[in-house]
Amino acid sequence: MEGDSPPLFIMLPLRLLSSLICIPWLLITAAATDKPNIVVFLVDDMGLMDTSVPFLTDKDGNPKMYPLNEFYRTPGMERLAATGTRFSQFYAMSVCSPTRASIMNGQTSARHTTTQFIKPESKNTGTLGPSDWKWKGFVKGDVTLPSLLREAGYRTIHAGKAHFGPNDSYASDPTNIGFDINIGGCAYGQPGSYYGSDHFGWAKKGREKRAVPGLEKYHGQNIFLTEALTLEINEAISAAVREEKPFFAYMSHYAVHTPFQSDERFAANYTNVEKKSLAAYATLIEGMDKSLNDMLDHLEKIGVAENTIVIFLGDNGSDAPAGGTHDIVSSAPLRAKKGTHYEGGMRVPFIASWAKPDPDNTFQKERPIPSGAINTTDIGVAYDVFTTVLNVAGGDYKEHIVDGIDLSPIFLSGKGSTANREFLMHFPHSHRSSYFTAFRKGNWKLIYHYDQNSGPSDDKIELFNLAADLDESTNLASSNPEKLQEMINAMNASLEETDAQLPITNRGHPLKKPKL
């Protein structure tokens, strides 16, 4: 109308107008939030050696490649490790649900008492297991990481495997424990199928009870579950940025859990692998890695990579279909698989990095992370993710008891300030290794079997010096009684402090704490 100012674009010089049109609008809003974005990238059943990234070092501290590192292909992890810091000694619980609960509430499984993997349909206690373990997972009023982050102003996004509670429980729906958005998460610990052509289980007879919910738009398509989840979480991240909200994106892949179905995008890389299940497992690893790479690319594309910290880890040791349960094969040079008390059952990959390093970025100045570093001395644990993320976000867990520590200062120092840290892995149930407590302090590790017939050997007590015996082949319990007694005393103190639930006898009475 006459007298009105002309639209802004008419007043702009043509050259400037053209340049503005070419700038992604998301870049304009990327700096609008005053908190860093956070991505936790959790991989199911991925052990320390299921990657081309070397996490172990030689005696001089240099990365050491093992045959498994040569076998797997993970360029996305290589990219993240090159810009960040990885730990040689990072632990999770030996099975999935306890670790996932620990990430969500910052406590060791002995304290939060979700000590066994949760079966969707029934209570998975075991013959000698304590009857009152927290088998239904989180309940209303429990402190959880996403609920605290939401209070701090974050958009909280869950994608993939949840496994926080059984069917029809409060925790079976991730939105009940603090997530604003849930993509494909439910009570199930594994997918009915990885194939969109199978509707991720819904269209495959016998797999309906594990079918992944909420991805109907991909049903019938030639798409892998890992890819579908990645597309969906990237869109959810974009939506948060458009709304100028800092985001917490919890990408919790179903991969690389069974069923070992081949991701055909990568099958050609493993045609020379004789065992088909192992070849399929390797494609699951490579597909997961592509997801990581795609997310990093997306963060750069929408202009928020410099403001986003990425934490990568596994939820328990490897389940690669190679070798026996307690052999030094699937995680070599570590012994055994997931669900066991040996290092291969609970040592996992961990990488922390800013999605795109920028020394001038305000958030990165506050919490610098060295590029290409390997921390070989400090001991990290999955429940540290809770404390680290909250500190990065400026959140507060108030009176809530935590076992986790903030790893941010350790990323920078890497001087072994937690080298003598204690780690308690308490498992009063039946599985691949049954009714045991594993306890690490410094370089020493103690394993106590409450039921003497539940281990791979007849030894009720095992003691290892991991600095000299990484594959846990030499039991020093008989030859070093002083160290054994010291470790038993320390383990008992930790069990008492966490009020750990012990296995029971066949008469229903609790077994006693470890003793000589």
Side-chain angles (χ1 to χ4, degrees), residues 155-159 181-183 229-243 245 247-249 298 302:
R155 171 69 55 81
T156 53
I157 306 164
H158 176 280
I181 298 169
N182 172 39
I183 304 164
L229 292 171
T230 306
L231 293 172
E232 290 298 300
I233 199 169
N234 279 345
E235 176 51 39
I237 288 171
S238 291
V241 174
R242 285 195 294 268
E243 295 179 23
K245 296 272 290 185
F247 60 81
F248 168 60
H298 185 71
I302 64 176

Side-chain angles (χ1 to χ4, degrees), residues 84 236 321 446:
L446 174 69

Side-chain angles (χ1 to χ4, degrees), residues 436-458:
F436 71 88
T437 300
F439 179 77
R440 177 168 178 177
K441 185 174 183 180
N443 288 324
W444 290 90
K445 180 177 175 183
L446 174 69
I447 303 168
Y448 184 86
H449 301 274
Y450 295 89
D451 178 15
Q452 194 161 347
N453 298 318
S454 65
S457 69
D458 294 329

Side-chain angles (χ1 to χ4, degrees), residues 231-509:
L231 293 172
E232 290 298 300
I233 199 169
N234 279 345
E235 176 51 39
I237 288 171
S238 291
V241 174
R242 285 195 294 268
E243 295 179 23
E244 301 184 18
K245 296 272 290 185
F247 60 81
F248 168 60
Y250 182 72
M251 170 49 94
S252 174
H253 274 296
Y254 284 96
V256 293
H257 199 289
T258 54
F260 297 141
Q261 296 175 316
S262 179
D263 188 334
E264 291 304 308
R265 295 174 296 173
F266 311 103
N269 294 330
Y270 308 99
T271 54
N272 62 337
V273 179
E274 183 175 345
K275 191 172 184 180
K276 297 305 180 185
S277 59
L278 181 58
Y281 184 84
T283 69
L284 288 170
I285 290 284
E286 195 163 352
M288 169 281 302
D289 185 79
K290 179 183 182 297
S291 170
L292 174 63
N293 229 341
D294 289 350
M295 288 188 69
L296 294 174
D297 286 345
H298 185 71
L299 294 170
E300 287 200 34
K301 178 181 177 181
I302 64 176
V304 297
E306 293 89 345
N307 296 341
T308 304
I309 191 170
V310 180
I311 293 175
F312 179 106
L313 73 159
D315 73 338
N316 49 242
S318 176
D319 196 27
T325 299
H326 294 96
D327 293 341
I328 309 172
V329 177
S330 61
S331 299
L334 306 180
R335 178 178 293 277
K337 299 185 179 184
K338 83 170 199 178
T340 71
H341 51 262
Y342 291 124
E343 293 293 283
M346 58 189 76
R347 200 183 288 205
V348 298
F350 176 89
I351 308 171
S353 177
W354 291 96
K356 184 178 181 181
D358 178 2
D360 296 323
N361 181 275
T362 301
F363 298 133
Q364 297 190 35
K365 284 181 178 179
E366 292 174 355
R367 286 182 171 79
I369 302 177
S371 295
I374 307 180
N375 187 317
T376 61
T377 53
D378 286 291
I379 295 174
V381 188
Y383 43 69
D384 295 337
V385 172
F386 174 93
T387 321
T388 303
V389 166
L390 270 183
N391 277 278
V392 168
D396 185 2
Y397 50 83
K398 301 173 185 176
E399 302 302 317
H400 178 64
I401 297 173
V402 298
D403 297 297
I405 62 172
D406 181 5
L407 296 174
S408 300
I410 298 171
F411 297 155
L412 184 60
S413 70
K415 294 181 179 178
S417 58
T418 68
N420 203 42
R421 189 181 186 190
E422 296 180 356
F423 167 59
L424 179 72
M425 171 57 239
H426 183 59
F427 192 79
H429 304 278
S430 177
H431 195 33
R432 288 172 170 174
S433 294
S434 301
Y435 311 114
F436 71 88
T437 300
F439 179 77
R440 177 168 178 177
K441 185 174 183 180
N443 288 324
W444 290 90
K445 180 177 175 183
L446 174 69
I447 303 168
Y448 184 86
H449 301 274
Y450 295 89
D451 178 15
Q452 194 161 347
N453 298 318
S454 65
S457 69
D458 294 329
D459 296 324
K460 189 174 183 67
I461 301 176
E462 296 176 88
L463 179 68
F464 302 106
N465 184 341
L466 295 178
D469 182 24
L470 184 61
D471 61 15
E472 297 167 285
S473 296
T474 305
N475 185 358
L476 301 176
S478 299
S479 61
N480 200 332
E482 290 185 2
K483 177 57 70 172
L484 177 61
Q485 188 63 64
E486 175 190 327
M487 290 292 288
I488 286 179
N489 291 343
M491 176 189 281
N492 283 339
S494 185
L495 289 168
E496 184 173 347
E497 194 277 324
T498 56
D499 197 23
Q501 298 173 320
L502 300 181
I504 60 173
T505 67
N506 290 327
R507 300 182 196 175
H509 302 299

Side-chain angles (χ1 to χ4, degrees), residues 58-128:
D58 60 22
K59 59 183 178 58
D60 297 319
N62 300 311
K64 182 175 180 179
M65 295 289 287
Y66 286 86
L68 288 175
N69 298 133
E70 301 284 355
F71 174 66
Y72 293 109
R73 299 166 182 252
T74 55
M77 290 181 66
E78 292 175 23
R79 171 183 177 181
L80 195 67
T83 59
T85 295
R86 57 197 189 268
F87 276 46
S88 293
Q89 303 181 96
F90 197 90
Y91 289 91
M93 306 303 131
S94 65
V95 291
C96 49
S97 296
T99 293
R100 291 162 189 273
S102 291
I103 292 172
M104 289 294 110
N105 79 349
Q107 297 177 347
T108 184
S109 60
R111 192 185 303 279
H112 64 60
T113 71
T114 298
T115 40
Q116 170 68 299
F117 71 90
I118 293 171
K119 279 188 176 180
E121 302 87 3
S122 61
K123 191 174 182 179
N124 186 27
T125 303
T127 306
L128 306 181

